[in-house]
Structure formats: structure tokens, C-alpha cells
Amino acid sequence: MSFLLAMMVAMAHPAPALSHADPVAVASIEAGHHDCPRCELAGADLSNTCVKNGDLTDADFDGANLTLMCMSYANFSGASFRGTNLAAANLAHARLDGADFSGADLTITSFKGTDLTKAMGLTQAQLNKACGDSDTKAPAGMSVPVCK
């Protein structure tokens, strides 16, 4: 995906103005620290940051802007992404057991190699906007389009 397309997606889906995020936790992630279990990141703008291989179990990302965030191979078990903008985020091989995606924007979100069978709040409409590969496991009765 081109940078211009990603920026257009980000501008079309702005994060909410209200943030309940812990500023220390936000600063830690922005500084490149990948572990932040149980962090309060609701409403934060973490676009274009990276938590690859990080431990973010039970973190609260509700309403956050995670556009273009590198989240591959990270553990998000029990995390909440309700109403979160995950447009063009990379969740390849992420652990998402018990993660809640209710109302999340998954436009061009990559789930390559990711097991979504234990994730919550996903709809087929959301997954139709995302993509995966032959190793992606969708929830029962759902499918994830192949990334091009």
C-alpha cells in the first residue's frame, strides 16, 4: 500500500478527541518500548508507532488511533480495541485470544498468520475490509480476504 493511500485512510478515520490514556504509557510506546501490559491507552494517537513482539495483554486501546501501527507478533490477549482505528495496522502473527474488536475499523488491516478464532466482537463486514493469508484463522462461519 502506498504512503499516500495510508495517509488518506488515516485522515478519513480520525481518532476521537477525548483521550483517557496514561501519558506515561503513551510516551513509553512512542519512545520505542514494546511492553505495556494492562496499559490505559484509550483514545491515544499511536499512529505509525511499533510494538512488534511486545506484551500488551489486557491493554485498553478503546477509541485509539492505531493507523499504520506495527503490531506483528505481539501479545494482545484480553486487550480491548472497541471503536479503535486500526486502518492499515499490521497485526500479522499477533496473539489475540479474548481481544475485543467491537466497532473497530479494520480497513486494510493485515492479519497474516493470525488466529482470530478466540477474538471477540468481530463481524464479517469488518473482516471484509481487512486481509490475511492462508495461515489466517477466521472465527467460525467467517472468512478473511487474502492480502494482495
Side-chain angles (χ1 to χ4, degrees), residues 71-86:
M71 306 164 79
S72 57
Y73 296 94
N75 185 353
F76 295 100
S77 296
S80 184
F81 296 100
R82 287 181 279 172
T84 299
N85 182 358
L86 287 154

Side-chain angles (χ1 to χ4, degrees), residues 59-140:
D60 180 359
F61 293 95
D62 291 354
N65 180 8
L66 308 183
T67 304
L68 292 170
M69 189 174 196
C70 174
M71 306 164 79
S72 57
Y73 296 94
N75 185 353
F76 295 100
S77 296
S80 184
F81 296 100
R82 287 181 279 172
T84 299
N85 182 358
L86 287 154
N90 182 2
L91 282 151
H93 303 279
R95 185 169 176 189
L96 301 171
D97 297 353
D100 186 355
F101 289 92
S102 299
D105 180 358
L106 302 179
T107 304
I108 319 173
T109 302
S110 174
F111 288 112
K112 289 182 177 181
T114 303
D115 184 348
L116 299 168
T117 60
K118 295 179 184 172
M120 303 181 313
L122 287 169
T123 66
Q124 187 60 58
Q126 286 173 299
L127 293 178
N128 287 344
K129 295 178 182 179
C131 69
D133 61 11
S134 61
D135 293 326
T136 302
K137 295 179 184 171

Side-chain angles (χ1 to χ4, degrees), residues 8-27:
M8 289 171 50
V9 168
M11 291 188 306
H13 300 76
L18 183 61
S19 174
H20 299 290
D22 175 355
V24 173
V26 172

